[in-house]
């Protein structure tokens, strides 16, 4: 890992991406302190106002300050996306390394099942899950985990298969060690770079997928601030107050770009491209 850390500063895109993501995290944490207004308080007398000194990004159709809603919307986007990505990558890493270590019929069965899951379009699978279980942050995390875990398993399994034949893994097996200690001590430390890159990549997709659900009305419930919901609520008034729709779009776009730059930079700095090729 020390070699990986020394190579990270050489990646300009990784630094830029991490800075962008860091700014988003900082703004989300400081949102309660720097937001000029409540993100949910209605003021019909101030509805559909353009940008001004009082409302820098204007107000929406309910008189709510757009800038305040964008700042608070970052809290939901980052929190739910982080939890969903953490569950996805954690579960995918566990399954991927385990089937790579076991191999044989178990590997074949698991991969065929995952191929079947991957054949279902992500947004369709998400809609089915939220229709059955309802909306809410927990359901969204579950849905994203179900949708993206199979792809993570494929990537991590491919990386772990290059480590399983190593002498230290063979020696651990010869000592009679169980699968879990082998995974934790021998395999995972040697594929941790792949896992980090996968986390950054899946996080950007999770942000987009969660915002898409909110736009379609299956995400957070109004009047809670959420970027996808804000676009859905204000798209009909885009010619009157364009920033009410453009501001959350810009926030979402910059976060996704930052995550993609970070993933691409880490991938190039750590030489993960050759591992991921043909597996994602």
């Amino acid at each position: 890992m020390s070699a990986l850390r020394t190579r990270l500063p050489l990646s300009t895109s990784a630094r830029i991406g991490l800075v962008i993501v860091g700014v988003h995290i900082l703004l989300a944490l400081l949102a309660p302190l720097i937001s000029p207004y409540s993100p949910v308080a209605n003021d019909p007398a101030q509805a559909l106002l353009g940008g001004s000194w009082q409302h820098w990004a204007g107000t929406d159709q309910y008189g709510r300050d757009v800038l305040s809603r964008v700042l608070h919307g970052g809290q939901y986007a980052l929190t739910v996306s982080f939890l969903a990505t953490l569950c996805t990558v954690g579960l995918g890493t566990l399954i991927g390394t385990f089937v790579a270590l076991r191999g044989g019929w178990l590997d074949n069965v698991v991969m065929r099942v995952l191929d079947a899951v991957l054949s279902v379009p992500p947004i369709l699978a998400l809609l089915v899950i939220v229709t059955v279980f309802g909306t809410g942050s927990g359901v969204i995390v579950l849905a994203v985990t179900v949708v993206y875990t199979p792809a993570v398993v494929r990537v991590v399994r491919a990386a772990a298969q290059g480590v399983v034949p190593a002498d230290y893994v063979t020696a651990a097996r010869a000592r009679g060690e169980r699968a879990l200690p082998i995974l934790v001590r021998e395999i995972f430390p040697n594929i941790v770079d792949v896992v980090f890159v996968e986390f950054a990549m899946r996080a950007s997709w999770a942000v987009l997928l969660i915002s898409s659900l909110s736009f379609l009305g299956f995400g957070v419930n109004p009047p809670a601030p959420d970027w996808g919901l804000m676009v859905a609520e204000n798209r009909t008034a885009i010619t009157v107050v364009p920033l009410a729709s453009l501001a959350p779009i810009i926030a979402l776009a910059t976060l996704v770009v930052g995550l993609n730059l970070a993933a691409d930079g880490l991938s190039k700095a750590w030489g993960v491209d050759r591992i991921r090729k043909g597996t994602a």
Side-chain angles (χ1 to χ4, degrees):
M1 282 298 293
S2 59
L4 297 179
R5 294 192 187 99
T6 57
R7 294 182 64 184
L8 178 59
L10 299 178
S11 173
T12 302
S13 60
R15 292 201 302 268
I16 295 174
L18 291 172
V19 167
I20 294 174
V21 175
V23 169
H24 271 279
I25 294 174
L26 183 63
L27 290 176
L29 292 174
L30 296 178
L33 301 177
I34 62 178
S35 296
Y37 300 94
S38 167
V40 297
N42 295 346
D43 188 358
Q46 301 292 319
L48 299 177
L49 296 179
S52 64
W53 287 110
Q54 289 74 30
H55 301 280
W56 288 8
T59 61
D60 63 11
Q61 57 186 327
Y62 301 105
R64 299 172 300 198
D65 183 68
V66 172
L67 178 60
S68 299
R69 288 181 62 78
V70 169
L71 291 173
H72 282 269
Q75 293 180 332
Y76 178 83
L78 289 168
T79 301
V80 178
S81 299
F82 175 80
L83 291 176
T85 307
L86 186 64
C87 293
T88 299
V89 176
L91 182 60
T93 299
L94 179 61
I95 297 174
T97 52
F98 184 76
V99 297
L101 179 64
R102 289 298 187 186
W105 67 267
L106 178 63
D107 182 38
N108 290 329
V109 170
V110 171
M111 296 313 297
R112 297 298 76 77
V113 171
L114 296 182
D115 287 342
V117 176
L118 285 170
S119 67
V120 180
I123 192 66
L124 178 59
L126 281 173
L127 291 176
V128 170
I129 293 173
V130 297
T131 300
V132 174
F133 295 100
T135 58
S137 300
V139 176
I140 299 300
V141 170
L142 171 65
V144 175
T145 302
V146 171
V147 169
Y148 283 147
T149 293
V152 176
V153 172
R154 293 183 64 185
V155 173
V156 174
R157 168 181 169 271
Q161 284 180 327
V163 178
V164 169
D167 292 339
Y168 48 84
V169 177
T170 303
R173 283 174 155 175
R175 291 194 300 268
E177 293 188 15
R178 291 180 171 273
L180 184 59
I182 294 177
L183 296 180
V184 173
R185 292 200 296 260
E186 310 296 347
I187 296 180
F188 180 74
N190 291 282
I191 63 168
V192 67
D193 51 354
V194 179
V195 175
F196 283 162
V197 172
E198 194 66 15
F199 186 93
M201 184 64 69
R202 300 299 166 185
S204 66
W205 295 352
V207 170
L208 283 175
L209 207 55
I210 292 170
S211 295
S212 298
L213 278 178
S214 295
F215 178 82
L216 294 173
F218 293 95
V220 63
N221 295 320
D226 174 78
W227 295 337
L229 179 61
M230 289 179 65
V231 176
E233 290 177 336
N234 298 291
R235 69 186 188 278
T236 56
I238 192 170
T239 57
V240 181
V241 280
L243 278 180
S245 294
L246 293 179
I249 290 175
I250 293 171
L252 177 62
T254 54
L255 177 57
V256 172
V257 168
L259 289 168
N260 282 329
L261 284 175
D264 183 65
L266 292 173
S267 177
K268 291 179 179 178
W270 292 347
V272 178
D273 281 339
R274 58 183 174 79
I275 298 175
R276 291 173 54 86
K277 185 177 181 182
T279 60

